[in-house]
Amino acid sequence: MDQELAEDLVAANRILAAHGVIDAYGHVSIRSPRDPKRFYLARNIAPEMVQVEDLLEYGLDGEPVDGARKPDSVSERYIHSEVYRARPDVIAVVHNHSPSVIPFSVTGVPMRPIFHMAAFVGDGVPTFEIRKVQKGSDLLVRNPRLGAALAKTLGKCPAALMRGHGSVVVGENLQRAVGRSVYLELAARMQMQALALSSKITFMDKAEVKANNPVQDYKRAWPLWRAKALAQAKADRE
Amino acid sequence: MDQELAEDLVAANRILAAHGVIDAYGHVSIRSPRDPKRFYLARNIAPEMVQVEDLLEYGLDGEPVDGARKPDSVSERYIHSEVYRARPDVIAVVHNHSPSVIPFSVTGVPMRPIFHMAAFVGDGVPTFEIRKVQKGSDLLVRNPRLGAALAKTLGKCPAALMRGHGSVVVGENLQRAVGRSVYLELAARMQMQALALSSKITFMDKAEVKANNPVQDYKRAWPLWRAKALAQAKADRE
Amino acid sequence: MDQELAEDLVAANRILAAHGVIDAYGHVSIRSPRDPKRFYLARNIAPEMVQVEDLLEYGLDGEPVDGARKPDSVSERYIHSEVYRARPDVIAVVHNHSPSVIPFSVTGVPMRPIFHMAAFVGDGVPTFEIRKVQKGSDLLVRNPRLGAALAKTLGKCPAALMRGHGSVVVGENLQRAVGRSVYLELAARMQMQALALSSKITFMDKAEVKANNPVQDYKRAWPLWRAKALAQAKADRE
Amino acid sequence: MDQELAEDLVAANRILAAHGVIDAYGHVSIRSPRDPKRFYLARNIAPEMVQVEDLLEYGLDGEPVDGARKPDSVSERYIHSEVYRARPDVIAVVHNHSPSVIPFSVTGVPMRPIFHMAAFVGDGVPTFEIRKVQKGSDLLVRNPRLGAALAKTLGKCPAALMRGHGSVVVGENLQRAVGRSVYLELAARMQMQALALSSKITFMDKAEVKANNPVQDYKRAWPLWRAKALAQAKADRE
């Protein structure tokens, strides 16, 4: 794995933790630039602790290429493998327990595009109800079948909520998946507050969403976020 | 007391403070692995300051085994002693002023399982109304009688709210009592937000709670939390 | 001025800032133990920057004893002087812009005792409406007349809200005035959340308030808070 | 550019980030004291990273005086250029994504003066609806025409909300534009909370707003904020 890419993925783990988007249980992956049927994901540790040597390579079956380290894998790796399988356009996948999106996931209230930094919400953020696929589950996406069902709910959307659990957020590159995760959390908070103020909200319209989305690559934030994350990763080694 | 266990308990105190779950007045204890009629609890200082040498050993009467240090004990130690007496399955007890659970404790609104990381809420989180046992109290559990009444309200549940005061959270091990405390706070916030969004909420159902609970040992978070807490404990000495 | 007392007051300034209770504009004072007609208050700088040498001595006319430094005084020092004049029992006074109490100050909704750590709310927290004393003011307590009117509204209570402005919190000692300020902010947040959950709230009753108040000296928190504040004060010098 | 002024502007960038008022995408500028048709604005990087050498000089056409560095400019620099053109009294301009003002920007609920530290809200905080000027935009102020329309909405007011986007805040000096930005965020939160408590709110009246505004120069906060920001800027170099 390329060193810069590995550092990008380490940074992504730590950025999401620093923004309160993932707790000790989220994960973020990136598709291999060498083989679209492979992706990289950290082993089963808290994202805030991830270092380059914690990154493992997986196949689209959700199993580590180096089978020996399988017990070390996160149980929900099938979120990643099945989204990569279903969505050739997706290069990065985030799974989080983003606290402000969970209230939306358990009510019928849809997230709508309220904030231009999260205009992608206007492309649809459906909610995955695991109960439709498996009754009495622990809500975790523990196998390829559940991962495929989640990927089906996600469809062509940039993100999907997972009822009572969190969300999955995707991107055509890592920066976008990370940036979308950060701003989805903020947008959820804003929508809750706006709904408390008024039932009449001016959301972004379709044309505005369409105009905004290609612009939002979160490239201005990335160098700041990455530098702080890798400085912390370095300090943690010392 | 075993050094690793002592460090676990020091870490637990500091983890709960770092997560905003306990203020300077909460406490966390662990049952002695050598004698189930004994437990360890820090002396009467802010949890954020606890070091290994601050840990005292108590009997199930709530009195320190080394009687000489009794004046140094927290007044609410009977929360711990009576829960250990009533619940042989319990190995660790947390008492906190978790801010987001207090609004639930003073209204009739029950906490329900909204977030898979706090699925244990589905096993019941009753509210202890001290007024039923003692009128005109200062709300503190200052004696074995009040502790026993609280333990009775707790019953077989993983946690109980204490009206206008906070909560008690228990676990079959220390990690679980700590992790449950952290996620109870988060779940309370989510439930308040979901109720503001809608009166129709999809809570976890009984089967989902049952499937999720054995899984939630908070083991992935623990090494991160413990390492940060003990690094701070070490820095505080210097 | 006694060195320990001076350090207590430096710590108080920094503790309140660290808890988000005062911004750059609040202040905290202590009555002189040598002369009840004198008190100590920092010069006109942000509380987070206060050091021992910034403390000035004032008379009950609100003017610095060393007249030469008068231009350096905070304009609202009459809050302190007039409260000390009207309340011989008061040893410390905090004025803050505590963010969660301000919504109560501008609505008719009274704060009531919801949380045992702020049981003193049950002794009454009236709201000072400056408009009744002076129309068209800038809301600041800029002279002895406004200070006296505020002290009259405060009456025998532990705190008073100031409409659209903040609050004044008093104590029989410095720890209590600081601790009450910290927990008034928390209690305000809890009451807002509880009111959003339900119109039926079980507040502490009179007997519970009476039983709890003598106990709440915030002595367990003080050593932690003081040590952290003074460590920061020392670091700021270096 | 004068070194002290440059450091003021570096500090302003970092102060706003530290207070959560601007994310990686806001910006703050200052009019040149030598030529009122020029202003200084950092190049296109996150405000939290700005150093003195990142500051560029612009003309009122919104283009950098040193044309060679144009690609390095923030796309929304026309917010600044057009406000400076329309408002000779304005010396500093902040554009932010202040999270608590956005819910107001998307509902018809007007911000009103609730808190004396943000009394300027009483001079009017209109909302800019970009859709009235350009349908299907990405909500960004990407050209002089949109900037002029925003400046027209701003009129003589101290701030204007930008629907689904953030706000623009101005001042007769840098401290005031920064201080107003910090307190506008706080005031928005307070107004949301007050509205949740009651429909009857006592806002500051016209006379109170008029009396308060000249006083609010945020001069007491500035030395604290500036010192912390520049200490961080220095640390970032090392």
Side-chain angles (χ1 to χ4, degrees), chain A residues 5-22:
Chain A
L5 191 73
E7 289 185 352
D8 277 345
L9 190 50
V10 167
N13 275 277
R14 290 163 174 266
I15 289 165
L16 291 164
H19 281 82
V21 170
I22 51 176

Side-chain angles (χ1 to χ4, degrees), chain B:
Chain B
M1 188 182 189
D2 175 71
Q3 178 71 11
E4 194 184 335
L5 191 72
E7 290 185 351
D8 278 346
L9 190 50
V10 166
N13 275 277
R14 290 163 174 268
I15 289 164
L16 291 164
H19 281 82
V21 170
I22 51 175
D23 54 8
Y25 292 86
H27 17 93
V28 47
S29 67
I30 188 162
R31 198 191 285 266
S32 168
R34 285 193 308 266
D35 180 352
K37 301 200 169 185
R38 298 274 177 94
F39 66 95
Y40 297 100
L41 174 69
R43 66 185 181 88
N44 188 24
I45 59 169
E48 200 176 330
M49 297 180 96
V50 169
Q51 299 280 6
V52 166
E53 61 270 25
D54 297 312
L55 304 176
L56 302 181
E57 191 172 3
Y58 289 86
L60 292 191
D61 58 356
E63 303 309 328
V65 172
D66 171 1
R69 295 177 72 182
K70 188 170 167 180
D72 224 15
S73 294
V74 295
S75 57
E76 294 196 289
R77 59 198 181 271
Y78 308 102
I79 295 172
H80 304 262
S81 60
E82 294 300 324
V83 168
Y84 286 125
R85 192 193 297 271
R87 287 279 297 271
D89 61 309
V90 166
I91 299 300
V93 176
V94 173
H95 167 58
N96 62 49
H97 298 165
S98 189
S100 302
V101 309
I102 293 176
F104 286 94
S105 82
V106 297
T107 55
V109 182
M111 287 196 69
R112 295 187 58 193
I114 198 167
F115 180 32
H116 80 302
M117 293 299 297
F120 68 91
V121 170
D123 289 331
V125 179
T127 296
F128 176 61
E129 173 49 273
I130 197 170
R131 212 179 282 169
K132 288 183 183 167
V133 194
Q134 186 184 333
K135 288 191 194 303
S137 79
D138 61 4
L139 269 57
L140 301 184
V141 175
R142 289 189 173 279
N143 57 52
R145 190 174 67 94
L146 290 170
L150 172 59
K152 196 178 167 191
T153 295
L154 177 66
K156 296 184 172 176
C157 296
L161 306 190
M162 300 163 77
R163 190 262 304 163
H165 182 164
S167 79
V168 57
V169 181
V170 303
E172 303 88 333
N173 56 56
L174 185 62
Q175 290 89 320
R176 187 168 274 193
V178 170
R180 281 173 169 171
S181 299
V182 168
Y183 282 101
L184 185 64
E185 169 69 18
L186 269 169
R189 220 177 303 158
M190 289 175 188
Q191 188 173 341
M192 287 194 274
Q193 293 174 321
L195 286 166
L197 279 179
S198 171
S199 57
K200 284 190 189 173
I201 299 178
T202 303
F203 292 106
M204 295 177 77
D205 63 25
K206 283 191 179 181
E208 287 168 346
V209 168
K210 197 176 168 188
N212 195 291
N213 275 350
V215 182
Q216 288 301 8
D217 48 20
Y218 308 100
K219 272 193 188 159
R220 192 174 175 196
W222 186 255
L224 167 68
W225 293 349
R226 189 182 195 274
K228 288 174 87 170
L230 294 181
Q232 187 61 49
K234 196 181 161 201
D236 285 356
R237 280 201 196 280
E238 287 158 12

Side-chain angles (χ1 to χ4, degrees), chain C residues 23-26 76 95-98 102 138-140 163-166, chain D residues 113-122 175-176 178-187 190 204 208-209 212-213 215-222 225:
Chain C
D23 53 10
Y25 292 86
E76 294 196 289
H95 167 59
N96 62 48
H97 298 165
S98 189
I102 292 175
D138 61 4
L139 268 59
L140 301 184
R163 190 261 305 164
H165 183 163
Chain D
I114 198 167
F115 180 32
H116 79 302
M117 294 299 296
F120 69 91
V121 170
Q175 290 87 321
R176 187 168 275 193
V178 169
R180 282 173 169 171
S181 299
V182 168
Y183 282 101
L184 185 66
E185 168 69 18
L186 269 169
M190 288 174 189
M204 295 176 78
E208 287 168 346
V209 168
N212 196 290
N213 274 350
V215 183
Q216 289 301 9
D217 48 19
Y218 307 101
K219 273 192 186 160
R220 192 175 174 193
W222 186 255
W225 293 350

Side-chain angles (χ1 to χ4, degrees), chain D residues 6-181:
Chain D
E7 289 185 352
D8 278 345
L9 190 50
V10 166
N13 275 277
R14 292 164 173 266
I15 290 165
L16 291 163
H19 281 82
V21 170
I22 52 175
D23 54 8
Y25 292 86
H27 18 92
V28 47
S29 66
I30 188 162
R31 197 191 286 264
S32 169
R34 284 194 309 266
D35 179 354
K37 300 199 169 184
R38 299 272 176 93
F39 66 95
Y40 297 99
L41 175 68
R43 66 185 181 90
N44 188 23
I45 59 169
E48 201 177 329
M49 298 180 95
V50 169
Q51 299 281 6
V52 166
E53 62 271 24
D54 297 312
L55 304 177
L56 303 181
E57 191 173 3
Y58 290 86
L60 292 192
D61 58 356
E63 302 310 327
V65 173
D66 171 1
R69 296 178 71 182
K70 189 169 166 180
D72 224 15
S73 294
V74 296
S75 58
E76 294 196 288
R77 59 197 181 271
Y78 307 103
I79 296 173
H80 303 262
S81 60
E82 295 300 323
V83 168
Y84 287 124
R85 192 194 297 271
R87 289 278 298 271
D89 61 308
V90 165
I91 298 300
V93 177
V94 173
H95 168 58
N96 63 49
H97 299 165
S98 190
S100 302
V101 310
I102 292 176
F104 286 93
S105 81
V106 298
T107 55
V109 182
M111 287 196 69
R112 294 188 59 193
I114 198 167
F115 180 32
H116 79 302
M117 294 299 296
F120 69 91
V121 170
D123 289 331
V125 180
T127 296
F128 176 61
E129 172 50 274
I130 198 170
R131 211 179 282 169
K132 287 183 183 168
V133 193
Q134 185 183 335
K135 288 192 195 304
S137 79
D138 61 3
L139 268 59
L140 301 184
V141 175
R142 290 189 173 279
N143 56 52
R145 191 175 66 95
L146 290 171
L150 171 60
K152 195 178 167 189
T153 295
L154 177 66
K156 296 184 172 176
C157 296
L161 306 190
M162 300 163 76
R163 191 262 302 163
H165 182 164
S167 79
V168 57
V169 181
V170 303
E172 302 88 332
N173 55 57
L174 185 62
Q175 290 87 321
R176 187 168 275 193
V178 169
R180 282 173 169 171
S181 299

Side-chain angles (χ1 to χ4, degrees), chain B residues 23-27 43-49 74 97 99-100 102-104 106-109 129-131 134 136-140 142 163-165 189 192 195, chain C residues 114-117 183 186 189-191 193-195 197-198 200-205 207-209 211-213 215-225 227-228:
Chain B
D23 54 8
Y25 292 86
H27 17 93
R43 66 185 181 88
N44 188 24
I45 59 169
E48 200 176 330
M49 297 180 96
V74 295
H97 298 165
S100 302
I102 293 176
F104 286 94
V106 297
T107 55
V109 182
E129 173 49 273
I130 197 170
R131 212 179 282 169
Q134 186 184 333
S137 79
D138 61 4
L139 269 57
L140 301 184
R142 289 189 173 279
R163 190 262 304 163
H165 182 164
R189 220 177 303 158
M192 287 194 274
L195 286 166
Chain C
I114 198 167
F115 180 31
H116 79 302
M117 293 300 296
Y183 282 100
L186 269 168
R189 221 177 303 157
M190 289 175 188
Q191 188 174 341
Q193 293 174 321
L195 285 166
L197 278 178
S198 171
K200 283 190 188 171
I201 299 178
T202 303
F203 292 105
M204 295 177 78
D205 63 25
E208 288 167 345
V209 168
N212 196 291
N213 275 350
V215 183
Q216 288 302 9
D217 48 18
Y218 307 101
K219 273 192 187 159
R220 192 175 174 196
W222 186 255
L224 167 68
W225 292 350
K228 289 174 87 169

Side-chain angles (χ1 to χ4, degrees), chain A residues 95-160:
Chain A
H95 167 59
N96 62 49
H97 298 165
S98 189
S100 302
V101 309
I102 292 175
F104 286 94
S105 82
V106 297
T107 56
V109 182
M111 286 195 69
R112 295 188 58 193
I114 198 168
F115 180 32
H116 79 303
M117 294 299 297
F120 70 90
V121 170
D123 289 331
V125 179
T127 296
F128 176 61
E129 173 50 275
I130 197 170
R131 212 179 282 168
K132 288 183 182 168
V133 193
Q134 185 184 334
K135 288 192 196 301
S137 79
D138 61 4
L139 269 59
L140 301 184
V141 175
R142 290 189 173 279
N143 57 52
R145 189 175 66 94
L146 290 170
L150 172 59
K152 196 178 168 190
T153 296
L154 177 66
K156 296 185 172 176
C157 296

